[in-house]
Amino acid sequence: MSPTGSVSDLTRRYAEVVVGVGLNVQPGQLVVIRGLVEHAELARTAAEAAYAAGAGLVEVVYEDDQVRRSGIAHGASAALAEGSDVDYLG
């Protein structure tokens, strides 16, 4: 976020272009946004843009590389897999 606590205009416009042009979000559509926790501001802004474009549901799935590194460092075999069997959309 900017020092004033608001999302920058550039970030907002970028999210609108990604959602409106790149994804062409349609009314009622499910949108899944996946990113690192460090990108939360962009994910939230993209979710806002998707809802404004008419998305029926926006799911944001965050990954944390530090948590993954901890699992690998401590020998957690599941942490070595590329993904997991977790059903993100329940």
Side-chain angles (χ1 to χ4, degrees), residues 9 16 18 21 32 44 52 69 90:
D9 188 52
E16 289 172 353
V18 168
V21 178
V32 178
R44 290 180 191 121
R69 270 190 225 102

Side-chain angles (χ1 to χ4, degrees), residues 20-76:
V21 178
L23 297 176
N24 190 25
V25 172
Q26 299 298 305
Q29 183 177 348
L30 166 66
V31 175
V32 178
I33 299 169
R34 186 174 180 175
L36 297 173
V37 294
E38 294 87 352
H39 305 140
E41 177 184 353
L42 180 57
R44 290 180 191 121
T45 306
E48 174 71 23
Y51 278 125
L57 179 63
V58 179
E59 290 284 338
V60 179
V61 179
Y62 291 109
E63 295 180 29
D64 189 324
D65 284 343
Q66 291 181 15
V67 171
R68 184 176 171 105
R69 270 190 225 102
S70 294
I72 292 168
H74 295 285

